[in-house]
Amino acid sequence: MNSSPLAGLLALALCVCAPHAPAQAPEPAAPAPSNPPQPKTFEFKDGDRLVLLGNTVLEREHDYGSFEPRLDLALGETKVTVRNLAWSGDTVFGHARSYFGPPEEGLQRLSVHLEMLKPTVVLLCYGSELAFERLGGLPEFLTGYRSLIELIHAKAPGARIIIATPPPLETLPPPLPDLSGENKNLSSLRDALRTFALSQNAFFIDWFELMGGLPKPGVIRQPLTENGVHYTRAGYEKLSAKLVEGLGLKTPTAPTPALESLRRAVIAKDTLFFNRWRPQNETYLFGFRKHEQGQNAKEIPMFDPLIAQGDETIQKLKEEALQQARRP
């Protein structure tokens, strides 16, 4: 019997309690059904609309443009558009998205964006806050995660789900703290998310292990983060490569100039999209001060054709990069 605290918490979070029945003579136990192994590769379909949903580690990707170019090249002729809906500091309950209201307001805002984008694939990465909290909050976290996935399915029926674990933290020289204990929490969270993903029929990516897993004790000699938590550009280069690997894909080697052109086009498109769904003056456009500048809200959809042009530019540069990668 596994008596670890994590096993008990996970059982509490995932179980469905049945009503008590009168005592009966025990029957021979039926063999437990074996779950089919997860496919090694996540299957993208031509025309898929991929949405990234999570907190800081995914939101900051739009500053670096590392993931989408590698994914595009790995998919070859398959065309997939990518939109980043991640929000720094967000939780499965929508705390960061709520602005001035309760978390429910944040989830309502997310509902609007999901209806707008109609994703066919959603890649989620949540739970990094549990590294700094007691794992006693795990059952509530998984319940919220389940509700979030139900919301996605309600607003984007048929969307396929990918669940990635938060990547590890780094212990840097003082005065920054030793994060070995927090990484142990993330390791336990990873184990719980693996079981949870299976229960949700979701594709699971162990981003924690792909990025090295539990770091060895002591200070990291060649850090990939600014402060132990937030990854640098070099960090995002590795993060994105490992995320593609976790999808079971392989990015062909393209010349550096071609990859850099593709990266810059992705950043330009992501910047347009960020201003489309999170305009800096949203309170004036749509909130309680819209009586002052609400007439300008009509300009926000004008970003859409520019974003579509950005997708076309990315596709063109992708084709050029693939041609160069195929040359002997």
Side-chain angles (χ1 to χ4, degrees):
M1 178 180 295
N2 189 341
S3 59
S4 69
L6 174 62
L9 289 170
L10 185 56
L12 175 64
L14 297 178
C15 72
V16 177
C17 297
H20 292 290
Q24 297 179 356
E27 298 180 357
S34 58
N35 294 306
Q38 173 176 282
K40 293 183 178 181
T41 302
F42 182 85
E43 182 181 357
F44 283 96
K45 301 175 183 177
D46 197 51
D48 266 337
R49 299 178 297 277
L50 170 63
V51 162
L52 308 181
L53 190 58
N55 49 33
T56 310
V57 69
L58 284 183
E59 186 200 61
R60 285 165 64 99
E61 160 60 23
H62 74 68
D63 291 330
Y64 297 101
S66 299
F67 172 63
E68 187 175 345
R70 286 172 170 79
L71 177 65
D72 281 340
L73 294 176
L75 290 175
E77 302 303 322
T78 302
K79 298 179 183 179
V80 172
T81 58
V82 181
R83 300 289 184 264
N84 194 336
L85 283 182
W87 198 307
S88 289
D90 197 32
T91 69
V92 293
F93 306 102
H95 284 97
R97 299 171 195 269
S98 61
Y99 279 106
F100 305 107
E104 292 77 14
E105 180 182 298
L107 293 179
Q108 177 56 38
R109 178 174 284 104
L110 175 60
S111 298
V112 172
H113 294 140
L114 290 172
E115 289 179 340
M116 175 182 73
L117 296 176
K118 297 178 175 59
T120 59
V121 181
V122 180
L123 190 157
L124 302 107
C125 181
Y126 278 104
S128 55
E129 73 278 5
L130 292 183
F132 303 93
E133 301 172 3
R134 294 181 180 274
L135 287 176
L138 182 61
E140 182 183 9
F141 166 77
L142 293 178
T143 298
Y145 217 145
R146 184 184 297 109
S147 297
L148 177 59
I149 291 175
E150 290 173 354
L151 171 64
I152 293 170
H153 284 149
K155 301 302 177 181
R160 291 114 65 207
I161 303 297
I162 303 168
I163 293 177
T165 67
L169 307 170
E170 293 184 328
T171 295
L172 302 185
L176 294 172
D178 184 337
L179 296 177
S180 56
E182 286 73 12
N183 272 319
K184 290 179 180 178
N185 287 342
L186 288 180
S187 177
S188 296
L189 173 65
R190 177 268 311 278
D191 296 339
L193 284 175
R194 179 184 286 110
T195 302
F196 175 73
L198 183 64
S199 74
Q200 299 299 303
N201 194 30
F203 190 90
F204 176 72
I205 298 178
D206 191 347
W207 213 3
F208 183 83
E209 195 64 34
L210 287 167
M211 288 296 293
L214 275 174
K216 296 180 180 179
V219 173
I220 298 292
R221 293 183 178 179
Q222 295 181 318
L224 294 174
T225 65
E226 302 168 1
N227 50 19
V229 177
H230 300 118
Y231 280 80
T232 61
R233 177 176 173 180
Y236 272 91
E237 294 293 319
K238 184 173 181 179
L239 279 170
S240 60
K242 292 300 182 181
L243 191 55
V244 171
E245 180 182 333
L247 290 165
L249 302 170
K250 184 177 180 180
T251 302
T253 302
T256 300
L259 185 60
E260 179 62 15
S261 295
L262 188 54
R263 188 183 74 87
R264 290 183 180 276
V266 166
I267 292 175
K269 180 265 299 179
D270 283 350
T271 300
L272 288 169
F273 178 67
F274 186 86
N275 289 319
R276 166 65 167 96
W277 77 282
R278 284 175 66 179
Q280 293 186 15
N281 54 349
E282 184 171 353
T283 300
Y284 289 91
L285 296 175
F286 306 111
F288 62 86
R289 300 189 68 172
K290 64 181 180 181
H291 62 280
E292 300 178 47
Q293 297 184 25
Q295 73 275 7
N296 295 325
K298 62 184 180 182
E299 297 179 6
I300 298 302
M302 296 179 184
F303 280 100
D304 292 341
L306 301 177
I307 296 168
Q309 290 175 15
D311 285 330
E312 293 175 1
T313 299
I314 290 169
Q315 183 61 30
K316 179 180 178 181
L317 291 172
K318 164 190 168 179
E319 292 171 356
E320 293 175 357
L322 284 173
Q323 290 175 3
Q324 295 181 44
R326 295 182 185 122
R327 291 173 184 168

